[in-house]
Amino acid sequence: MIKKSYISVFLLAMGFTACDQEPVFNVEGEISGADGKTLFVEHSSMNGVLKVDSVKLGDKGDFSFSVSRPEAPDFYRLRIDDRVINFVVDSTETVNVKSDYGTFSSDYEITGSESNKKIKELSLLLADLQNKVNKLNNSGLPAGIARDSVFRMIDRYKNTVKSEYIYKEPDKSYAYFALFQQLNGFMIFDPFASKEDVKCFAAVATSLNNKYPHADRSRNLYNMVIKGMKNTRTPQSKPLEIPKEMITETSIIDIPLKDINGETKHLTDYKGKVVLIDFTAYATPESGTRTLALRELYKKYSEQGLVIYQVSLDTDEHFWKTACDNLPWVCVRDPYGVYSTYVKVYGVTALPTAFLVNRDNELVLRLDEKTNLEDEIKKLL
């Protein structure tokens, strides 16, 4: 009896110990040619990218992370500098990655999940599309011809992704990943502006909701489908019609959009000021760095007459409101995103895109990478 009691207590204790251990998944592998570099593992959450852990790589480049396992499939990434490898944690306990620093994002091996092989395929397809778009934009072709060519390439890309990755197996994690790919900061599939894109989101939402009805991603996807169905039932915005005399008077086309408080802010209200028009999306990776740079400029020159009129093309309204809640300048959002009339009128093909307006409401400069923004602002002030 005594022996049995000891055995029972021992087994019970072992049971409690096992229950107390938090389930984890492992990310391990080898990155050659990265001696001294810091490798990050990050969580690609619905609220942005969050750092989970990091390690400084040695001459062998081997690494190993143990991370708390999510209750439902979730997305993570490995990052060195600005180079990224995306992966999902779904059915596997261990993700193994082998790569070289020089080709970190483009030529790597990933094992442990079929979904991660598909995510790699999607990432490479998108990188190829981005390269083609960049070449076309720098080709010197007239803007209208280049833009039409870009749209045709995007349509071909979407048709491939829909047939091979979304509709083929909508219950897979990589189908969800495909929905949220971005080109130049724009969502390629936009459920708030396209009925066909709503169908893609609905297919994945239905499958995901059946498997993981209580997961945050399932609920968020379902809500996006409902909102998208409402948006696409209503007529899209008509082409913007501005009286000729108004265009002559202001030399810019007005942008009347609502800020986070629901108040309509007109671009033309700031005549007498120097205005930086900034088309952006807060969900893009570059947004944080850009916001810090704009804060410095605004702090220096706002009292001298600088106004920043920032137009968000984010598809997630709640995320936009959270992101710009404490910004000191004018923050408005265009709910039509990439399909917006203002995007077409101002010829926005990448994010961020910015313009400068002088005190007479005249559009004087479209900014590019070579522009010294502060110098140009000081000239106009």
Side-chain angles (χ1 to χ4, degrees):
M1 290 292 291
I2 293 176
K3 288 182 179 180
K4 287 183 179 179
S5 297
Y6 278 128
I7 292 172
S8 298
V9 170
F10 174 75
L11 291 175
L12 188 61
M14 288 294 289
F16 277 125
T17 302
C19 291
D20 285 342
Q21 289 179 343
E22 186 178 22
V24 299
F25 69 89
N26 301 303
V27 189
E28 58 189 39
E30 183 179 304
I31 311 298
S32 60
D35 186 15
K37 292 286 185 179
T38 300
L39 176 68
F40 296 88
V41 59
E42 299 172 327
H43 178 205
S44 300
S45 75
M46 291 191 298
N47 295 318
V49 176
L50 307 174
K51 177 186 171 184
V52 177
D53 204 351
S54 64
V55 65
K56 191 172 184 178
L57 297 172
D59 56 350
K60 293 183 179 179
D62 55 324
F63 66 92
S64 180
F65 297 108
S66 289
V67 182
S68 298
R69 189 179 180 84
E71 294 181 0
D74 214 342
F75 296 89
Y76 297 82
R77 68 185 204 175
L78 293 174
R79 178 176 64 81
I80 298 180
D81 298 334
D82 60 348
R83 308 171 188 193
V84 169
I85 294 175
N86 292 292
F87 66 93
V88 67
V89 175
D90 46 19
S91 59
T92 187
E93 297 290 339
T94 300
V95 176
N96 191 284
V97 178
K98 291 185 179 180
S99 187
D100 179 82
Y101 174 70
T103 57
F104 184 73
S105 301
S106 58
D107 186 15
Y108 62 92
E109 295 179 17
I110 186 164
T111 58
S113 167
E114 184 63 28
S115 284
N116 283 324
K117 294 179 182 178
K118 295 293 185 181
I119 286 174
K120 176 185 176 181
E121 291 175 11
L122 283 162
S123 298
L124 295 181
L125 282 172
L126 180 62
D128 181 59
L129 175 64
Q130 183 69 70
N131 288 334
K132 289 178 180 176
V133 169
N134 291 344
K135 287 180 181 178
L136 193 59
N137 286 338
N138 296 323
S139 65
L141 287 171
I145 295 175
R147 186 166 57 248
D148 290 343
S149 298
V150 167
F151 286 148
R152 283 196 295 271
M153 285 193 293
I154 292 173
D155 285 340
R156 287 196 295 269
Y157 181 86
K158 289 175 72 172
N159 289 334
T160 298
V161 172
K162 280 192 286 189
S163 61
E164 297 299 322
Y165 297 92
I166 296 177
Y167 288 138
K168 193 170 185 177
E169 292 186 294
D171 61 326
K172 300 297 185 182
S173 301
Y174 64 80
Y176 180 99
F177 179 84
L179 294 177
F180 291 92
Q181 287 190 299
Q182 294 186 358
L183 180 71
N184 288 340
F186 293 112
M187 282 183 66
I188 296 175
F189 292 91
D190 188 347
F192 304 135
S194 166
K195 288 183 179 180
E196 290 303 313
D197 290 357
V198 172
K199 293 177 184 177
C200 295
F201 274 74
V204 178
T206 301
S207 298
L208 197 63
N209 194 58
N210 288 337
K211 280 189 172 182
Y212 307 99
H214 302 298
D216 289 340
R217 290 190 185 275
S218 299
R219 291 196 293 265
N220 182 62
L221 205 59
Y222 179 79
N223 289 335
M224 290 179 74
V225 171
I226 296 300
K227 185 184 290 187
M229 290 173 68
K230 291 179 179 177
N231 280 8
T232 54
R233 280 196 197 108
T234 57
Q236 296 293 312
S237 57
K238 296 179 180 178
L240 193 65
E241 296 180 1
I242 302 293
K244 289 182 179 179
E245 62 272 15
M246 182 177 179
I247 297 175
T248 303
E249 179 187 343
T250 65
S251 294
I252 58 172
I253 295 176
D254 192 20
I255 303 178
L257 292 171
K258 293 181 179 180
D259 63 12
I260 61 173
N261 299 314
E263 183 179 346
T264 299
K265 300 290 186 179
H266 288 262
L267 176 60
T268 51
D269 285 345
Y270 303 99
K271 189 172 184 179
K273 304 281 188 179
V274 171
V275 182
L276 172 64
I277 310 172
D278 187 58
F279 287 88
T280 190
Y282 296 106
T284 57
E286 302 83 6
S287 177
T289 303
R290 185 170 180 77
T291 297
L292 290 175
L294 291 181
R295 275 187 183 276
E296 290 300 312
L297 286 171
Y298 191 79
K299 185 178 179 181
K300 273 187 180 182
Y301 301 109
S302 60
E303 291 185 1
Q304 298 179 41
L306 174 66
V307 169
I308 297 178
Y309 187 95
Q310 197 165 43
V311 182
S312 163
L313 302 177
D314 290 275
T315 54
D316 188 327
E317 183 178 4
H318 175 72
F319 180 82
W320 161 68
K321 286 184 176 180
T322 302
C324 68
D325 186 35
N326 294 313
L327 296 181
W329 52 77
V330 182
C331 299
V332 297
R333 173 177 170 268
D334 194 321
Y336 292 103
V338 65
Y339 298 95
S340 159
T341 296
Y342 307 113
V343 166
K344 296 175 183 177
V345 166
Y346 280 86
V348 177
T349 58
L351 294 180
T353 292
F355 304 86
L356 278 176
V357 177
N358 66 18
R359 295 184 188 272
D360 295 321
N361 259 181
E362 295 170 334
L363 192 66
V364 295
L365 184 64
R366 181 189 182 108
L367 305 175
D368 57 35
E369 294 179 356
K370 298 178 182 178
T371 305
N372 186 316
L373 179 56
E374 186 168 4
D375 284 351
E376 296 299 334
I377 288 173
K378 286 192 289 187
K379 289 177 187 177
L380 295 178
L381 289 173

